[in-house]
Amino acid sequence: MNANRRTVLRGVGAGTATLLGGVGAAAARPPSQGDTIVDVAVAADGFDVLVAAVQEADLVEALSGNRQLTVFAPTDEAFNQAGITVDNVDEIDGLADVLTYHVVPGRRKANSIVNADEVPTLNGAKVDVDGTDLNGDQADIVDTNIEASNGFIHVIDGVLLP
């Protein structure tokens, strides 16, 4: 009986792996036509520091690629309050870790975020969520569902620290 059970479980596991592999392949398609997350941030007012930081951390390609992402985008004012400006992004230690802490895998609208207790980020840590409040008031979501071809941007009024 154990041998049959193992055989069945292996078959189910192989079928699941095949199914998930197919889903992964479908998700790997290029983004639909239109502006990417980076394009939207560059064109919008109030994200100069974010754009400079993404360029400095060499994340432009990652945020412009075919992977669907959701970005918590701090405003220039939020970065400035944290002491980060366009002129000093090259001096920030761990900049890529801080920026990837603002990126959630997948295309997540605001209702998916605000109704979660926490969301995973690309740097491996999680952001605690309490409605529009992130990480115990490190930042609040102030604008939502800004759509890009490869995901969504949610504007925040603070900088999230892992």
Side-chain angles (χ1 to χ4, degrees):
M1 191 81 167
N2 282 341
N4 286 339
R5 184 175 176 182
R6 274 191 218 122
T7 303
V8 169
L9 290 176
R10 266 191 237 144
V12 169
T16 302
T18 302
L19 176 63
L20 292 176
V23 170
R29 290 186 313 228
S32 56
Q33 293 194 353
D35 292 339
T36 66
I37 289 169
V38 173
D39 296 331
V40 171
V42 166
D45 289 332
F47 295 110
D48 294 337
V49 179
L50 177 62
V51 170
V54 165
Q55 290 171 338
E56 179 63 31
D58 200 26
L59 294 173
V60 172
E61 200 171 302
L63 296 176
S64 298
N66 59 1
R67 185 172 184 185
Q68 294 294 306
L69 302 167
T70 300
V71 174
F72 295 122
T75 61
D76 287 341
E77 185 178 332
F79 273 116
N80 287 234
Q81 288 175 356
I84 303 169
T85 67
V86 170
D87 297 325
N88 73 357
V89 293
D90 61 333
E91 300 168 12
I92 306 301
D93 289 332
L95 182 62
D97 283 337
V98 170
L99 292 175
T100 55
Y101 189 60
H102 289 78
V103 182
V104 176
R107 186 180 191 89
R108 299 189 64 174
K109 287 189 173 187
N111 63 348
S112 169
I113 300 289
V114 301
N115 290 312
D117 292 331
E118 60 185 21
V119 292
T121 66
L122 290 188
N123 87 345
K126 295 183 179 180
V127 172
D128 292 325
V129 180
D130 184 8
T132 60
D133 181 53
L134 304 176
N135 276 356
D137 211 26
Q138 276 186 348
D140 289 309
I141 300 171
V142 296
D143 195 6
T144 61
N145 299 334
I146 300 169
E147 194 165 8
S149 64
N150 64 332
F152 283 103
I153 298 170
H154 304 302
V155 181
I156 59 175
D157 66 357
V159 175
L160 300 172
L161 300 173

